[in-house]
Amino acid sequence: MSDIWSKTLTGADDVPLGQPVLRFSDLNENSTRYDYLAAAPSDDDLVKMWIAIGTTSVVVSVWVGIIFSGIACSRKARALTFNLYLLFLMVPDFLMSFLCAIACFLAVSAGHWYSPFMCHFQ
């Protein structure tokens, strides 16, 4: 009876927490459409994706920071209400791109999905 309670519902007892249960390499001709949608790429492909997303996020956060500081430092630009509206829109955009870059580069350095908390926080 203790063996029944030690098994998980997914049957993925040997898969570490936060790691995908199904990979593309595990698929065969009997796999369902759901399996193809739910399967994760290899860790090497994920690292390449995280590098691309992290680099893009760094570029976005730098550009948003430059535009934000340009509007915030100019008295003439701050006098227009539309520019103030843009400033308040840039704050969450900057935070999202900056935190995404941190999460992606943490995952790259670890070699696997590092922080579910950071992804959910974004």
Side-chain angles (χ1 to χ4, degrees), residues 21-61:
V21 177
L22 183 64
R23 298 286 185 150
F24 284 142
S25 59
D26 299 333
L27 299 176
N28 57 26
E29 64 276 351
N30 296 326
S31 299
T32 64
R33 289 183 184 173
Y34 175 77
D35 292 339
Y36 280 97
L37 291 173
S42 67
D43 284 335
D44 293 335
D45 290 340
L46 285 174
V47 167
K48 291 174 189 173
M49 291 178 199
W50 288 323
I51 289 172
I53 293 170
T55 305
T56 305
S57 295
V58 167
V59 170
V60 167
S61 63

Side-chain angles (χ1 to χ4, degrees), residues 67-112:
I67 294 170
F68 183 89
S69 62
I71 293 173
C73 292
S74 172
R75 222 177 255 194
K76 186 177 179 181
R78 279 184 310 201
L80 299 172
T81 56
F82 182 72
N83 287 341
L84 291 176
Y85 172 71
L86 289 178
L87 284 179
F88 284 102
L89 286 179
M90 286 182 208
V91 172
D93 189 33
F94 175 78
L95 286 175
M96 169 60 192
S97 60
F98 183 70
L99 293 175
C100 181
I102 291 174
C104 286
F105 289 128
L106 282 174
V108 167
S109 67
H112 58 85

